[in-house]
Each structure stands twice: as C-alpha cells, then as structure tokens.
Amino acid sequence: MCKNIDTGRNPTEEEFCEAERILKLRPGKQKDHPSAVPADHKKLSHINTYGRLPEFYLDQPFTCRKCGKREIWKAKDQKWYYEEAKGHIDARAVECHACRKARKSGSCD
C-alpha cells in the first residue's frame, strides 16, 4: 500500500508567510533556524559551478506557474533533490505537485 505524503503541498497561510519571513533573515540567523537543513558538500561534488554551494537548505515558498497554487518546497526535499537525485543546484520549484504529476502522465494542457 502506498502512503500519500503531502508535505508542503497544502500549506496554511501562516506556514507560507513564515517560510517567506525566514528567507528574509540574515544568513547567520537562517543557518541557526530550526528549519534549516545542513548541506553535505561531499554529496554536491557533482555540481560544476562557479558560485558557492549552499551551506543549508530552507523551505522555499513558490507559486505554480501553471495553475497559481501556492506550495512550499521543503528543505528536506531540496536536500534529497540536490544531493541524492543529483539535480542542478540552480533548479527551483516552479510547478505544484498536481501540475508536475499531470505533465509526467501526459495529461497536461
């Protein structure tokens, strides 16, 4: 049986505003925030970039470019995407879960 994990997909207005507030803090305050997830530079070695690698990940609120739904790309999901799935460090969430799922299944507009 498959579990339906819904982390970040239906945030409350308070959760969305809190994620935005944390992103506006100075980097030192962000790093010490309980929601910050430390980055593992050894696992980010696949990235060939001229910029700096992240020290930590924070929840990233975004609005879907297709349907306008607001979601949060959770820090732990970013860590998995960048470090385990080897996604590019400049990639950002731009579509909600439902629109990504529809696009992957071929039922998108």
Side-chain angles (χ1 to χ4, degrees):
M1 186 157 99
C2 186
K3 269 190 174 181
N4 185 9
I5 300 173
D6 200 89
T7 305
R9 294 184 192 158
N10 294 305
T12 64
E13 186 64 27
E14 293 79 22
E15 291 170 324
F16 201 84
C17 290
E18 178 64 4
E20 288 179 326
R21 184 190 72 77
I22 293 166
L23 289 177
K24 293 176 185 174
L25 296 173
R26 293 180 313 214
K29 294 268 188 191
Q30 289 176 336
K31 184 178 182 178
D32 294 334
H33 196 274
S35 67
V37 176
D40 183 347
H41 285 192
K42 290 177 185 168
K43 290 187 175 183
L44 291 171
S45 64
H46 69 283
I47 297 172
N48 183 10
T49 180
Y50 292 103
R52 294 178 55 180
L53 294 176
E55 292 182 42
F56 53 90
Y57 306 102
L58 294 171
D59 292 351
Q60 299 285 330
F62 69 97
T63 302
C64 178
R65 68 178 173 188
K66 290 188 87 175
C67 72
K69 182 179 179 192
R70 296 182 345 158
E71 288 190 354
I72 297 174
W73 191 19
K74 300 301 251 177
K76 65 184 177 81
D77 296 329
Q78 294 170 54
K79 182 175 180 73
W80 174 85
Y81 178 77
Y82 296 130
E83 297 178 10
E84 303 302 326
K86 306 298 184 194
H88 195 278
I89 198 68
D90 292 327
R92 300 289 179 258
V94 294
E95 290 181 351
C96 70
H97 178 74
C99 287
R100 281 194 324 272
K101 190 174 180 181
R103 178 176 40 82
K104 289 178 183 179
S105 72
S107 62
C108 63
D109 303 337

